[in-house]
Amino acid sequence: MKWANNTVGGNATAIKNLGDKGLSDGKYLLHLCAAVEPRAVNWDIMSNGDTEEDKCQNAKYAISVARKLGAVIFCVWEDIVQVNKKQMLIFMSSMGDV
């Protein structure tokens, strides 16, 4: 978590723990992907995450970008929207290995 917060920097609000509800909109994970490879994220695709549909789209996009970067991602978009702590750990750990 410390690595992820340091990597994201000031581009997204730091998370307090793996169950942080701020992860549910997928924006933090997209910023994490962009911190690893800035050209990987098309910011025009990311939404504000205000609605459930927006959260779902961001979560799907975050998984897609992470996989494109070579991360081994086991979670599904529902895990992000529901903030599944174990899957958040695996997602962030996988991004650290890219």
Side-chain angles (χ1 to χ4, degrees):
M1 209 171 50
K2 183 178 178 181
W3 171 84
N5 280 332
N6 288 337
T7 302
V8 169
N11 294 323
T13 304
I15 57 171
K16 295 174 180 59
N17 57 53
L18 294 171
D20 192 316
K21 293 299 178 189
L23 291 167
S24 71
D25 62 11
K27 292 176 7 179
Y28 182 90
L29 299 176
L30 284 167
H31 282 288
L32 182 60
C33 291
V36 171
E37 172 52 63
R39 298 171 297 169
V41 177
N42 179 348
W43 298 109
D44 294 333
I45 294 175
M46 186 181 83
S47 67
N48 286 332
D50 295 332
T51 67
E52 286 301 312
E53 184 177 334
D54 287 347
K55 289 179 181 183
C56 294
Q57 292 302 320
N58 284 348
K60 290 174 186 177
Y61 186 48
I63 291 170
S64 174
V65 171
R67 287 182 175 151
K68 207 179 300 184
L69 290 172
V72 178
I73 303 296
F74 297 106
C75 69
V76 293
W77 64 268
E78 291 96 340
D79 291 326
I80 295 173
V81 174
Q82 295 170 1
V83 192
N84 180 318
K85 293 178 187 180
K86 290 179 184 177
Q87 294 300 336
M88 293 298 102
L89 175 63
I90 292 169
F91 189 106
M92 291 178 201
S93 298
S94 294
M95 291 307 299
D97 289 338
V98 172

